[in-house]
């Protein structure tokens, strides 16, 4: 008997039977629900990893494209409405394409360093260093740019919508 004077063994029996009838189907569903949730998380993780890899590859394509003056690449990468800022100037997509393809500087080597991806759903910010070497009207140059690039995923592909470069002072 419990403190209310009930015979505990008999009062718990119906509760256990009723609980078993209710909980058994839920328990049977729980592994499926867990599997579904785990699968969804794995898909998100895979999507994140693929997105991360794709963005880093696109940034490296950008660096290589500079050395080749690759107009086709940059037309594909730069979204309509693309905005570029460098130090005290802001230019649009067409001006960037002109400068890359036919500008006065010739980039002979370019690579990225210390890139980090900060993803926000279908938008991602990539920060890092772009290191370029080449020659122009004023002679040879070696430059380091701290960059912040904003990418948006549209129709299954990433495009850059904005970029900001800061030319670090020569060491």
């Amino acid at each position: 008997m419990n403190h209310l004077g009930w015979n505990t063994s008999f009062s718990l029996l119906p509760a256990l039977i009723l609980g078993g009838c209710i909980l058994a189907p839920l328990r049977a569903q729980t592994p499926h629900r867990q599997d579904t949730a785990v699968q969804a998380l794995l898909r998100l993780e895979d999507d994140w990893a693929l997105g991360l890899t794709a963005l880093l590859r696109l940034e490296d394509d950008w660096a290589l494209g500079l050395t080749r003056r690759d107009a086709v690449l940059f037309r594909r990468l730069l979204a309509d409405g693309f905005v570029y800022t460098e130090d005290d100037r802001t230019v649009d997509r067409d001006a960037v394409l002109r400068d890359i393809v036919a500008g006065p500087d010739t980039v002979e080597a370019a690579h990225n360093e210390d890139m980090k991806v900060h993803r926000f759903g279908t938008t991602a910010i990539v920060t890092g260093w772009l290191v370029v070497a080449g020659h122009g009207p004023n002679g040879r140059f070696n430059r380091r740019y701290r960059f912040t690039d904003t990418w948006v995923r549209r129709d299954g592909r990433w495009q850059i919508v904005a970029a900001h470069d800061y030319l670090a002072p020569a060491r």
Side-chain angles (χ1 to χ4, degrees):
M1 290 233 184
N2 65 14
H3 70 282
L4 295 174
W6 293 352
N7 185 337
T8 309
S9 61
F10 291 115
S11 63
L12 287 178
L13 185 60
L16 291 173
I17 293 170
L18 181 60
C21 292
I22 292 172
L23 293 177
L26 291 178
R27 280 197 188 112
Q29 291 178 11
T30 302
H32 174 69
R33 286 184 185 160
Q34 287 174 343
D35 287 346
T36 302
V38 168
Q39 289 168 352
L41 287 173
L42 289 173
R43 279 193 302 278
L44 286 174
E45 187 176 289
D46 287 346
D47 181 50
W48 170 255
L50 289 173
L52 177 75
T53 302
L55 288 163
L56 294 175
R57 186 174 50 249
L58 291 170
E59 289 287 353
D60 286 338
D61 288 348
W62 177 292
L64 183 60
L66 291 173
T67 66
R68 297 179 178 172
R69 295 186 179 256
D70 191 341
V72 173
L73 170 73
F74 286 101
R75 278 192 204 96
R76 183 172 43 86
L77 292 181
L78 303 179
D80 290 337
F82 172 80
V83 177
Y84 175 75
T85 58
E86 180 182 334
D87 301 328
D88 64 345
R89 69 185 187 118
T90 301
V91 296
D92 65 9
R93 180 180 192 266
D94 292 337
V96 170
L97 286 169
R98 272 192 307 276
D99 195 41
I100 289 171
V101 174
D105 288 344
T106 300
V107 176
E108 297 167 349
H111 70 275
N112 293 303
E113 296 177 353
D114 194 29
M115 288 191 292
K116 292 181 178 51
V117 176
H118 314 269
R119 188 155 171 202
F120 306 91
T122 58
T123 301
I125 311 297
V126 180
T127 58
W129 288 96
L130 172 64
V131 181
V132 297
H135 64 276
N138 298 326
R140 299 210 50 77
F141 60 80
N142 288 296
R143 299 177 184 149
R144 290 179 57 82
Y145 293 93
R146 170 54 93 180
F147 70 83
T148 302
D149 293 343
T150 304
W151 296 83
V152 174
R153 188 165 173 82
R154 296 179 181 152
D155 300 323
R157 69 184 181 122
W158 290 99
Q159 279 195 302
I160 189 167
V161 295
H164 174 78
D165 289 345
Y166 166 75
L167 178 58
R171 297 181 196 187

